[in-house]
Structures are given as C-alpha cells and as structure tokens.
Amino acid sequence: MKKCPFCAEEIQDEAIKCRFCNSFLSAAPGSAEAAAAAAAAPPAAAPAAAKEPGTSTPPFARNAGKDAPDSPVDRKILYEGVPSWKAYLGLYIAAGFGACLLIVILRMVHGGDPPLATKLLDVVIPIAVAVVFGFGLTLYRKSIRFRVTNTVIETERGLLSKRIDVLQLWRCRDVAYRQNLVDRILGIAHIDVFAQDTTTPHIEIVGMPASRQLFENLRDSIEIQRHAKNVYGVVS
C-alpha cells in the first residue's frame, strides 16, 4: 500500500489513478520533476561499432597507386623545354660555309668583270639562301618541345598543327646519357629512352642542359614507376 500524493489516502502500489480523488499519479509533483529531468537529459550515445583500425576504406582502395604519383597533383616536372640551338650548331655553321662557297662559285662562273648588279646578286642570293635555311631550322627547333615528369615523357611537335606523344615511364626499358666533346664544350647533352611501346619505341631528348642530376632523377623515376606497376623484366 502507498499514499496518494494528492489526498493522502492509501491506495494500491500498482495504482495509476487514485480512487478517492480521481487524480492520475503520473501528474504527481515528484513524477513531473522526474519526467522533466528525463526530457532535458541528452540521449545516451549509441555504443560505437567496433571496427578494426585502418579499415575505414577498402584494402584495394588504400593500396592502389599508393607508391605511384598518378594524380596530376603528385606529378613533378623534371624538365620542360625545346632543343637548344647549340644542338644544331653544326647545321648553322654548314649553312654559312655553304653560302660563302656558293659566292665563290658564282664569281668564278661569271668571271672577268661582270656588271655591278651581277656582283650583288652573286653575294645576296647565297646569303639569302643561308638565312632562309637558318630561319627554317629555327622554326623546326621551336616546333619540338619535351616535357619530362616523374610519370610520363611528352613529346610535342608542330607549329600550326600539334601532335603530342606520351610515353609512360613504366614502359621504359633503358635510358642512356650521351655527350660528345663538342656537347661538353657547349654544355648540352642528349638522352636516349628505349621502351616497349608500339608508337614510341625510342625517344631522343636532344639539346637539353648537361645535367647529371636530371638524368639520375629520370632514371630513378623509371624504376619507381616500374616497381609501382609491378613490372619486372621486359615490358610488352
């Protein structure tokens, strides 16, 4: 038995309504305060599901490309530029020497004391041919651009029309550094890249700065890319 909080009459312990004053026991002062306190309390946080550390993402998503900087953000440019004019210095000298030789030949052909106009033409025409040849050679040199990153080698050709060949470094088999005596004097070098690729089996990066560090960075990038792609031996 218990007492009703409203009329103090004794009622059953299981009663929810007083049979004397017809009051609901849920509206008692103590019960109202308890209900208000229960409503104000924040809900209990659900127990966190136990999960294995490091399994927030699928294992293949975590490991795929972890060692290979395939995204554009991770790419690092090792070298970018056009072949140096020093690589074609022999052709420029040959054009000048050819112009001088042609002037001598024309003077010998005309002989004697030709008119002044003929003398001028004998000099102007060879020089004009040499200048046109040199200008064309410069345009050809400017139409070639190499871009070497730690993932690919891009070769861009053309002035009006463009063509870009891309070689993935993991396809490369071998890389060689070439520099003859004249190249060492002029401070340039050439790099030969051999690859198992149907479109670009061989790339020659000509007229680049003579930098052993640049060559070693390219060689190390090839090894890193081959290891990241699990490529061993010959690439087909």
Side-chain angles (χ1 to χ4, degrees), residues 103 106-125:
I103 292 174
L106 290 176
R107 293 296 301 271
M108 291 177 62
V109 169
H110 292 142
D113 189 14
L116 180 59
T118 303
K119 293 181 179 180
L120 291 178
L121 290 177
D122 290 345
V123 176
V124 171
I125 291 177

Side-chain angles (χ1 to χ4, degrees), residues 67-204:
D67 298 328
D70 291 334
S71 62
V73 178
D74 297 332
R75 289 182 182 176
K76 178 182 178 182
I77 297 178
L78 303 179
Y79 168 74
E80 183 175 9
V82 299
S84 173
W85 63 269
K86 300 176 183 178
Y88 301 91
L89 181 60
L91 295 177
Y92 287 110
I93 295 177
F97 179 78
C100 296
L101 183 61
L102 185 57
I103 292 174
V104 174
I105 294 175
L106 290 176
R107 293 296 301 271
M108 291 177 62
V109 169
H110 292 142
D113 189 14
L116 180 59
T118 303
K119 293 181 179 180
L120 291 178
L121 290 177
D122 290 345
V123 176
V124 171
I125 291 177
I127 293 178
V129 172
V131 170
V132 171
F133 176 81
F135 181 73
L137 184 59
T138 302
L139 289 181
Y140 171 76
R141 182 176 60 85
K142 294 287 187 180
S143 66
I144 304 175
R145 173 172 291 272
F146 298 102
R147 185 170 185 263
V148 182
T149 70
N150 56 343
T151 57
V152 297
I153 298 177
E154 298 179 1
T155 306
E156 180 180 337
R157 299 178 183 274
L159 290 176
L160 301 179
S161 61
K162 292 290 184 180
R163 175 180 174 179
I164 300 177
D165 295 323
V166 180
L167 175 63
Q168 302 288 338
L169 292 187
W170 65 270
R171 288 186 172 273
C172 297
R173 291 183 304 155
D174 192 16
V175 58
Y177 184 87
R178 291 189 298 107
Q179 196 179 30
N180 56 31
L181 179 60
V182 178
D183 294 336
R184 297 188 65 178
I185 295 174
L186 298 178
I188 59 175
H190 313 279
I191 292 181
D192 292 313
V193 181
F194 302 93
Q196 284 290 345
D197 189 87
T198 56
T199 58
T200 53
H202 171 248
I203 293 180
E204 182 183 4

